[in-house]
Amino acid sequence: ALIITDECINCDVCEPECPNGAISQGDEIYEIDPDLCTECVGHYDEPQCVEVCPVDCIPKDPDREETKEELLEKYNRISST
Ligand code: SF4
């Protein structure tokens, strides 16, 4: 999963771009629900939020490293519900 760091400036461009609805406004900055983030696997070649973020504050979460296969599994799980 990807994670939004505290460099987020709350610009709100990423939220509508997420095909999984994983991004929402948190208490201080925007947040990504790691259970919904497939890093856009299943939808796009590149994570859409990373493409649009003006301050490049959306790296991969080092605590939630997933393989492409695991991300695809998550995509299948999410889309079948
Ligand atoms: Fe924050 Fe980047 Fe999303 Fe803007 S695009 S709300 S700076 S994470």
Side-chain angles (χ1 to χ4, degrees), residues 2-77:
L2 301 171
I3 189 166
I4 295 174
T5 72
D6 60 10
E7 283 163 77
C8 172
I9 55 170
N10 288 305
C11 73
D12 186 44
V13 226
C14 57
E15 194 264 326
E17 297 300 328
C18 180
N20 295 316
I23 302 177
S24 61
Q25 190 166 21
D27 286 343
E28 302 203 341
I29 53 171
Y30 275 69
E31 293 173 351
I32 294 177
D33 181 343
D35 294 328
L36 292 178
C37 175
T38 65
E39 299 177 18
C40 282
V41 167
H43 293 282
Y44 302 102
D45 289 339
E46 300 293 335
Q48 299 299 289
C49 59
V50 175
E51 297 270 289
V52 298
C53 180
V55 293
D56 286 329
C57 68
I58 319 181
K60 287 187 188 216
D61 185 347
D63 294 328
R64 289 284 298 238
E65 272 188 49
E66 293 153 297
T67 65
K68 188 143 192 187
E69 287 68 35
E70 286 169 327
L71 292 166
L72 198 55
E73 259 174 53
K74 195 193 292 182
Y75 165 76
N76 288 329
R77 222 168 31 239

